[in-house]
Amino acid sequence: MSTIQKLRTDVVIVGGGIVGASAALALRRMGAAVVLLERDLCGSRSSGVNFGGVRRQGRPVSQLPLAQRAHRIWAQLPALLGTDGEYIRSGHFKIARSEADMASLERYRALSSDFDLGLELISAARLRTQCPWLGTRAVGGSLCLEDGQANPRLVSPAFALAAQRAGAQVLERHKVEEVAHDGELFMVRAAHAQGTLEVQAPVLLNCAGAWAGAIAAQFGETPPLTWRSPLMAVTEPVAHFMDWSLGVEGGGIYCRQVERGNLVIGGGNGLTLGPDRARAEREGIALLAQQAVELLPALRHAHIIRTWGGTEGYLPDRQPVLGPSRTTPGLFHGFGFSGAGFQIGPAAGEVLADLARDGHTETPIDAFAIERFDTPPVSLSATVSAVPTASPT
Ligand SMILES: Cc1cc2nc3c(=O)[nH]c(=O)nc-3n(C[C@H](O)[C@H](O)[C@H](O)COP(=O)(O)OP(=O)(O)OC[C@H]3O[C@@H](n4cnc5c(N)ncnc54)[C@H](O)[C@@H]3O)c2cc1C
């Protein structure tokens, strides 16, 4: 027989990706009572299947305060989570394939000079001697020595586990189906195998990733969130030749080599089959393989052993929504990280915890306000509404 269980807490979080889980951990460290509701398994979506790039270089300058805060958190992973998640500061090298690319990297270095990224421009001549493994299209690039990489499959679930160890109620396989606000408290209703759970709390954090638009819409907010599936592939292990994580100015392909020799490669998008499913396409993989060999000729004979994608929420300006709702006091959003939320995720979680506790944060987040999308709030007459299945827009 199905049962309805009720809980009362300080903060209820929807979504157990790196953002929701790190918010839960930060809130517990502040002493707040937290319930986190995750539809699947924590870290099983974007946060656990991404490329694993932990980079500040190349981010919009408006994201750098958040990225710097995250950089400090990443340095403390073993103390915070009990694992290093294979995080290493291997260096991130952004390749220029033309003089125009090189000029653009120089401009970025000047623009970001207020932040301590330590960017170093490397000439073609130095590249040839230092990195003989790089293909000849590279005419130089920009190195951020303290950026790096990590294993998302380890890091993201570890945030949720750490939050649970710290006292958060982390409830997996709990799908939020109804949300409402009575002017004082949120009521969040989740379905699970044994029945229904109703959680009441004065604060709700919307960390539902690509599906967060459905939660926001219940409060009359309709940011133009869409989803895509970045395409990923991994090769068989080959002899270790590269420490840096690589990107390319202007985008296209990114690549890193893990300790046991496999090359993880990403670029372009796979096929989105629906809100919950995505897959790699033959043409996309062929293009990725061609670009990878051009960049790293040593891969000419390497086999790709696995391909995958993941559903990620994108906003038109490729900046997240991070901050208070404009319709509902006590509701805070953190979603739409547009393919780049792994590095900043832990800081986004801390910012949400600041907002939940104090209503403000020291980290500048104006650029991420939901108000920047000029869609007027939709007035709602219902107090309790079903969360619809999101559909691509
Ligand atoms: C293939 C790929 C490669 C990427 N590479 C990088 C990279 O190298 N570097 C980088 O910085 N970023 C990268 N990103 C982006 C990064 O992974 C994401 O921005 C980040 O993980 C977003 O975290 P999140 O917690 O917001 O979302 P998610 O990890 O998607 O978590 C949201 C969670 O909410 C849950 N949820 C949704 N609806 C409900 C509901 N109704 N009830 C309960 N739970 C719900 C979902 O099940 C999900 O677990 C990549 C993304 C992908 C897909």
Side-chain angles (χ1 to χ4, degrees), residues 14-20 37-55 59 156 174-177 207-212 215 228-232 254 308-312 334-344 387:
V14 184
I18 196 164
V19 176
L37 301 167
E38 164 56 47
R39 182 186 58 180
D40 299 319
L41 296 175
C42 291
S44 61
R45 296 297 176 153
S46 269
S47 298
V49 301
N50 64 56
F51 169 66
V54 185
R55 100 188 133 76
R59 289 181 182 274
S156 298
H174 278 62
K175 182 178 181 195
V176 172
E177 293 190 330
C207 305
W211 305 270
I215 306 283
R228 272 182 237 161
S229 170
L231 182 58
M232 303 293 310
Y254 36 97
W308 73 96
T311 307
E312 169 74 345
F335 62 80
F337 288 86
S338 305
F342 186 53
Q343 191 272 344
I344 53 176
V387 175

